Structures are given as C-alpha cells and as structure tokens.
Amino acid sequence: MELITPDFGLIFWQLIVFGILFFLLAKFAWKPIIQSLAEREQSIDEAIKLSETTRAEMAELKAGNEQLIASARAERDALIKQAKEASDAMISQAKLDAQTAANQEIEKARVAFEQEKASAVAAIRKEAATLSLDLAEKVLKSQLKDKAAQEKLVTEWMADVKLS
C-alpha cells in the first residue's frame, strides 16, 4: 500500500530527481532537439518551396513546349498548304499549256488539211475541166461532121437557154 499512498520523503526525492533531470534535459538535450526539429522544419519548408517552384517551372516548360508544338504544326500545315497550292498551280498551268499546244497543233492540222483539200479540189477541177474539154471536143468533132447535125445542136442549146 505504500505505493498507493506514498510518503512525504518519497515524493520529495522524486521531485528533486525530476527537477535535476528536467534541468539536465533543458540544458543539454532540448536545445539540440528543438534546433534539429527547427532545422528539419526549415529543410521541409525549403523542399516544399523548391518543389512548388519546380512544378511551376515544369508547367511553364510544358506550356512553352505545347506552344512550340502548336506553332510547328501550324507552320507545317501552312507549308503543306503552300506546297499543295503550288502543285495545283503547276498542274493547272501544265494542263493549260498542253491544251494550248494541242489547240495550236489541231489548228495547224486543220489549216494544212484545208490547204490540201483546196489544192486537191483545184487539181480535180482542173483535171475535170481538161477531161470535159477533151470529151466535148471529141463529141463535137464527131457530131459536127455534117451541117445538119450542127444546126440541130444549136437549136437544142437555144431551147435549153430559153428554159433556164
């Protein structure tokens, strides 16, 4: 029962030992412990600040990279569009040039054909005229051997002229 109801001397000596222990701890242990806790708290704060600045820098870098990527894509799209327009223009110009050259060749061929046709028609007319004259000469020579035949032919021509 002594532990439940301690004596005055036990309480006194326990208070003295507690005081000495408190003094020793306050003098030698608490300052280094509190200082190490303060240093630890400061290093944690610095680490948090560093991580926040690093996070902010990473966000800025990410935004910058995204902006660079977007501008590179826009530039690529512009170059592709420009190349397509240039290619379309070249194709259209080539088609136009080919069409013009084809039309010129067709026109040359048409003119040459017309000239050949005209010369062939002229040659045929000349030949037909020559043949007609030769034939007419032979017919007239054979039919106009006597005077009666000549008079008959003149009367027929006169009748034809009156009808026309």
Side-chain angles (χ1 to χ4, degrees), residues 106-121:
I106 289 171
E107 184 61 26
K108 285 179 186 177
R110 188 187 63 75
V111 167
F113 176 74
E114 289 296 326
Q115 288 174 349
E116 289 293 321
K117 179 180 165 186
S119 68
V121 166

Side-chain angles (χ1 to χ4, degrees), residues 17 22 32 37 48 54 59 64 67 88 99 102 118 123 129 141 162:
V17 170
F22 184 78
L37 286 175
I48 289 173
T54 304
Q67 186 179 16
D88 289 345
Q99 185 65 35
K141 280 183 183 180
K162 288 180 185 177

Side-chain angles (χ1 to χ4, degrees), residues 36-52:
S36 68
L37 286 175
E39 288 174 1
R40 176 76 175 141
E41 183 180 354
Q42 184 179 1
S43 69
I44 289 173
D45 286 342
E46 288 174 0
I48 289 173
K49 287 178 184 176
L50 180 63
S51 70
E52 287 174 357

Side-chain angles (χ1 to χ4, degrees), residues 61-81:
L61 286 174
K62 184 177 179 183
N65 285 343
E66 289 175 358
Q67 186 179 16
L68 284 174
I69 289 172
S71 67
R73 285 183 181 153
E75 186 176 343
R76 178 201 64 196
D77 291 343
L79 286 174
I80 288 173
K81 181 180 178 184

Side-chain angles (χ1 to χ4, degrees), residues 77-146:
D77 291 343
L79 286 174
I80 288 173
K81 181 180 178 184
Q82 185 180 12
K84 180 161 177 44
E85 288 174 355
S87 136
D88 289 345
M90 288 173 62
I91 289 171
S92 133
Q93 184 62 38
K95 284 181 181 178
L96 183 63
D97 291 345
Q99 185 65 35
T100 303
N103 288 341
Q104 287 175 350
E105 289 298 318
I106 289 171
E107 184 61 26
K108 285 179 186 177
R110 188 187 63 75
V111 167
F113 176 74
E114 289 296 326
Q115 288 174 349
E116 289 293 321
K117 179 180 165 186
S119 68
V121 166
I124 289 173
R125 282 186 182 161
K126 183 178 178 183
E127 186 67 27
T130 304
L131 287 175
S132 295
L133 286 176
D134 287 344
L135 182 63
E137 181 183 352
K138 288 179 183 178
V139 167
L140 284 176
K141 280 183 183 180
S142 69
Q143 286 185 358
L144 298 180
K145 286 184 181 176
D146 62 352

Side-chain angles (χ1 to χ4, degrees), residues 5-46:
T5 56
D7 288 340
F8 176 73
L10 180 63
I11 292 175
F12 173 74
W13 284 110
Q14 281 183 348
L15 282 176
I16 290 181
V17 170
F18 179 73
I20 293 171
L21 181 63
F22 184 78
F23 174 75
L24 288 175
L25 283 176
K27 180 106 175 147
F28 297 108
W30 283 348
K31 283 183 184 179
I33 290 173
I34 290 175
Q35 185 178 5
S36 68
L37 286 175
E39 288 174 1
R40 176 76 175 141
E41 183 180 354
Q42 184 179 1
S43 69
I44 289 173
D45 286 342
E46 288 174 0

